[in-house]
């Protein structure tokens, strides 16, 4: 079935090629993407393009950029069946997580992809990433509805739920990992969709809404053995801060030192939302597992379950923008909104 897709180029390695004379990397003209990836024509879909101007390295991504992206998706939502966003890999997991919370009632695919080598280079991983992303954004179920109506990252033959990903490898073509959630599709000879894992909307005809108020008054406190109370206090007392992502050990454990606990309690009593996520690469916070975790729970620390730090941060940004009452934010942080966490 011929589908109408919009490919949005934001910047990053994927959209680069080597200038023939200077050999420096320069952005390709995305409207001419079929010159670089002629295979796209063979897919038989209508692929329109849009480029950010200027394009940005994803290290420069800011919430304003996410808002612009959401507005672009909203204004083109009715016109297209799916969207592919070409994005730098460095902060792609942050953008994918943020979009998943900012887009409400999404019923069409939003597939982010990028590459480790520019699309204009011989050994690029970008071509396959673009082609498969297009195929995934165009895929339909037998009833004609989109196969994957979620914000996803497609990279190196795997389709991930965006808000479950982390960039974990700076060199390998397999740059992303979704340690706490299985992939939504495996791409080999066939694209094998795991339909039982994909989130489908209750109603397909709702208009897309966007949450464009973002509050980034959030800090991350990564504890380590020997960290001084002053260093911790410096983070917790950040001016204007409304929430802190507390990166703890193992299944959500922190020192049992009374001074540490009473400092955390003092800031919670002052209204700070403190969300417990683990420093481990995989697995979940379980504040009932050990006395150390239990102590945090008892003073009001919120469980982040198996949230990635990227998802915890962007979820907080959106919730803080939405609610002025931090208690509401704390409650929603422990609720599964977009498949971002697993509550056992
Ligand atoms: N620095 C680049 C970016 O994130 C790297 C990449 O695209 O892979 O924009």
């Amino acid at each position: 079935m011929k589908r109408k897709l919009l490919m949005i180029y934001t910047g990053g390695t994927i959209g680069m090629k080597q200038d023939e004379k200077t050999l420096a990397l320069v952005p390709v003209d995305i409207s001419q993407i079929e010159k670089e990836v002629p295979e796209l024509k063979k897919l038989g879909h209508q692929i329109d393009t849009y480029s950010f101007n200027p394009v940005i390295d994803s290290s420069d991504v800011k919430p304003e950029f996410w808002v612009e992206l959401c507005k672009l998706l909203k204004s083109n939502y009715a016109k297209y069946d799916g969207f592919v966003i070409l994005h730098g890999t460095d902060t792609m997991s942050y953008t994918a997580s943020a979009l998943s919370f900012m887009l409400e009632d999404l019923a069409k695919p939003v597939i982010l992809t990028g590459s480790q080598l520019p699309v204009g280079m011989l050994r690029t991983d970008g071509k396959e990433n673009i082609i498969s992303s297009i195929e995934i954004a165009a895929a339909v179920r037998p009833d004609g509805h989109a196969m994957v109506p979620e914000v996803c990252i497609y990279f190196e033959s795997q389709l991930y739920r965006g808000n479950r990903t982390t960039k974990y490898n700076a060199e390998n073509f397999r740059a992303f990992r979704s340690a706490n959630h299985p992939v939504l599709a495996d791409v080999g000879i066939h694209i094998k969709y795991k339909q039982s894992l994909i989130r489908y909307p209750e109603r397909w005809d709702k208009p897309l809404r966007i949450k464009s108020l973002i509050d980034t008054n959030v800090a991350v406190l990564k504890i380590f053995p020997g960290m001084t109370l002053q260093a911790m206090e410096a983070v917790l007392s950040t001016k204007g801060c409304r929430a802190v992502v507390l990166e703890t050990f193992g299944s959500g454990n922190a020192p049992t030192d009374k001074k540490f606990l009473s400092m955390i309690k003092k800031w919670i009593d002052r209204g700070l939302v403190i969300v417990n996520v683990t420093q481990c690469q995989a697995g979940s916070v379980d504040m009932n597992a050990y006395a150390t975790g239990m102590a945090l729970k008892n003073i009001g620390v919120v469980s982040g379950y198996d949230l990635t730090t990227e998802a915890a941060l962007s979820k907080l940004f959106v919730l803080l923008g939405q609610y002025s009452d931090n208690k509401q934010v704390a409650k929603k942080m422990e609720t599964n909104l977009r498949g971002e966490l697993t509550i056992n």
Side-chain angles (χ1 to χ4, degrees):
M1 192 197 298
K2 183 172 171 154
R3 305 282 276 171
K4 277 180 81 178
L5 306 169
L6 182 63
M7 190 192 296
I8 301 166
Y9 176 39
T10 66
T13 301
I14 189 160
M16 299 287 189
K17 65 174 181 186
Q18 244 170 351
D19 185 90
E20 278 164 23
K21 283 187 206 132
T22 64
L23 300 184
L25 283 179
V26 291
V28 296
D29 174 357
I30 197 70
S31 65
Q32 305 289 310
I33 186 72
E34 286 179 354
K35 264 196 203 157
E36 299 301 329
V37 194
E39 296 87 345
L40 285 175
K41 274 199 210 104
K42 293 192 189 154
L43 293 174
H45 301 298
Q46 178 185 325
I47 305 169
D48 294 344
T49 54
Y50 175 93
S51 181
F52 272 59
N53 185 15
V55 292
I56 55 166
D57 186 287
S58 78
S59 308
D60 282 323
V61 156
K62 294 191 183 90
E64 294 83 338
F65 162 84
W66 295 331
V67 172
E68 202 180 328
L69 206 42
C70 284
K71 287 186 176 160
L72 184 68
L73 292 171
K74 187 172 164 60
S75 60
N76 286 286
Y77 194 67
K79 271 185 261 163
Y80 293 97
D81 299 309
F83 302 87
V84 170
I85 302 175
L86 308 184
H87 192 289
T89 57
D90 291 347
T91 62
M92 196 188 291
S93 292
Y94 289 89
T95 295
S97 298
L99 292 186
S100 77
F101 298 114
M102 292 169 79
L103 300 172
E104 190 81 47
D105 294 327
L106 181 70
K108 295 185 179 182
V110 174
I111 314 295
L112 287 104
T113 195
S115 66
Q116 295 283 54
L117 277 178
V119 74
M121 285 179 82
L122 209 52
R123 275 194 320 105
T124 185
D125 50 331
K127 276 191 183 188
E128 194 280 321
N129 284 348
I130 292 183
I131 294 167
S132 295
S133 295
I134 291 284
E135 279 207 59
I136 290 164
V140 287
R141 307 192 308 188
D143 65 2
H145 287 305
M147 181 60 88
V148 194
E150 289 203 42
V151 179
C152 297
I153 287 184
Y154 175 76
F155 219 87
E156 186 66 8
S157 77
Q158 311 248 273
L159 182 70
Y160 308 100
R161 174 167 299 143
N163 58 30
R164 290 293 196 152
T165 61
T166 300
K167 181 174 179 184
Y168 85 105
N169 199 315
E171 289 178 25
N172 206 287
F173 281 158
R174 173 118 343 138
F176 290 88
R177 183 146 68 183
S178 166
N180 287 331
H181 197 274
V183 296
L184 301 183
D186 251 323
V187 178
I189 294 177
H190 303 287
I191 302 184
K192 289 195 181 142
Y193 294 100
K194 316 266 161 71
Q195 282 201 64
S196 60
L197 298 173
I198 299 171
R199 285 166 70 87
Y200 291 107
E202 269 168 32
R203 281 185 46 194
W204 292 86
D205 55 348
K206 281 195 178 172
L208 181 73
R209 288 181 295 134
I210 58 176
K211 295 194 173 125
S212 48
L213 273 181
I214 304 287
D215 185 345
T216 59
N217 280 305
V218 180
V220 176
L221 173 53
K222 179 171 184 161
I223 57 166
F224 55 87
M227 187 175 200
T228 63
L229 289 174
Q230 290 93 310
M232 294 179 189
E233 180 94 35
V235 176
L236 294 165
S237 62
T238 306
K239 200 161 174 266
C241 189
R242 292 179 61 197
V244 170
V245 176
L246 180 66
E247 287 196 359
T248 56
F249 309 125
S251 50
N253 304 313
T256 47
D257 175 12
K258 285 210 175 66
K259 284 191 190 139
F260 165 74
L261 289 171
S262 59
M263 183 178 64
I264 296 282
K265 184 170 181 324
K266 173 184 80 186
W267 285 101
I268 291 175
D269 291 346
R270 288 183 187 178
L272 205 63
V273 180
I274 301 189
V275 183
N276 189 353
V277 301
T278 176
Q279 292 179 15
C280 293
Q281 303 299 305
S284 182
V285 160
D286 175 2
M287 291 198 282
N288 298 318
Y290 293 91
T292 49
M294 188 62 99
L296 293 176
K297 184 179 172 182
N298 289 341
I299 56 174
V301 171
V302 169
S303 178
Y305 296 96
D306 56 352
L307 279 176
T308 60
T309 297
E310 290 90 330
L313 280 169
S314 55
K315 188 173 177 181
L316 281 168
F317 292 168
V318 177
L319 291 176
L320 292 170
Q322 212 181 341
Y323 301 102
S324 53
D325 177 5
N326 284 7
K327 287 209 180 82
Q328 279 285 346
V329 174
K331 206 169 136 208
K332 291 273 179 186
M333 280 308 288
E334 291 193 329
T335 310
N336 180 11
L337 302 179
R338 300 283 194 271
E340 74 281 8
L341 53 77
T342 322
I343 302 175
N344 289 316

